[in-house]
Amino acid sequence: MKKLSLLFLALISFNSFADDEDYALKKLESSCEKGEMQDCTLAGKMYIDADKGEKAISLFEKSCSQNFIPGCTALGATYYSGLGKVQTDKKKGIEILTDACDKKEGGACGVLAYAYMMGDGVQTDYKKAMKIFRLLCDKKNAEACHFAGDMFMQGWGVTQDFNLAAEHYARGCSYGLKKSCEEYKALDSEGFVDHSE
């Protein structure tokens, strides 16, 4: 009985510590001030979640200015999407994301490819979108595989090809994306998956 009580107390202590976001935020900001740019970006993401975008922007700008490219991605995505109640500025967001993508930051490239696919903030360019999605898919990015599947499914900038759509959905599924599994199953049940190989 004593062991059970101690375990229960340990779990309560752990959960109350884990739920203390203010404590975690203070630790991250302290670490950020000491030059840990990853922690600046993580603190910024916490501010985004709390709809305190302006504070997040300053932290993302700090990490980006120190060449922490994921911080640049967070900065660009925040402006592009208006996260954390930040005034949306698609042009500024696209510029930052393009620069981060040029430095091979996958997250930035993914947002940029989505913008090109949807024509959101940039001229629609299916070829650019598909090129980026396929490169990211080859690096096991599930969302990129899924979007490439969508493009083959719809025939956006490519010849409509249900087999290639299914192939990309299968890859997205294998990388853990549930919606890709559902799309693959739907295509398979409709007879669009080639099982001859």
Side-chain angles (χ1 to χ4, degrees), residues 85-186:
K85 296 187 177 179
V86 168
Q87 179 71 38
T88 301
D89 187 338
K90 296 216 183 270
K91 182 180 178 188
K92 187 173 189 172
I94 292 290
E95 287 172 5
I96 296 166
L97 290 166
T98 299
D99 186 54
C101 182
D102 289 345
K103 293 174 181 167
K104 310 291 186 221
E105 214 290 308
C109 294
V111 176
L112 199 57
Y114 179 82
Y116 282 122
M117 180 178 72
M118 302 306 292
D120 187 23
V122 292
Q123 184 72 35
T124 301
D125 190 331
Y126 292 131
K127 287 183 181 181
K128 273 188 183 178
M130 180 61 89
K131 180 180 178 183
I132 294 169
F133 285 143
R134 291 184 91 179
L135 285 170
L136 292 174
C137 183
D138 287 344
K139 294 181 179 183
K140 300 184 179 184
N141 181 302
E143 286 283 347
C145 296
H146 187 84
F147 284 127
D150 286 347
M151 292 183 75
F152 279 116
M153 183 81 159
Q154 301 300 324
W156 292 340
V158 292
T159 301
Q160 188 175 39
D161 188 321
F162 296 116
N163 242 346
L164 282 173
E167 178 187 312
H168 283 84
Y169 289 141
R171 290 176 72 188
C173 179
S174 72
Y175 303 142
L177 190 62
K178 185 179 177 185
K179 65 183 175 182
S180 285
C181 300
E182 293 166 0
E183 292 291 345
Y184 177 81
K185 286 177 188 172

Side-chain angles (χ1 to χ4, degrees), residues 163 167 193-197:
N163 242 346
E167 178 187 312
V193 176
D194 181 6
H195 293 284
S196 63
E197 295 177 9

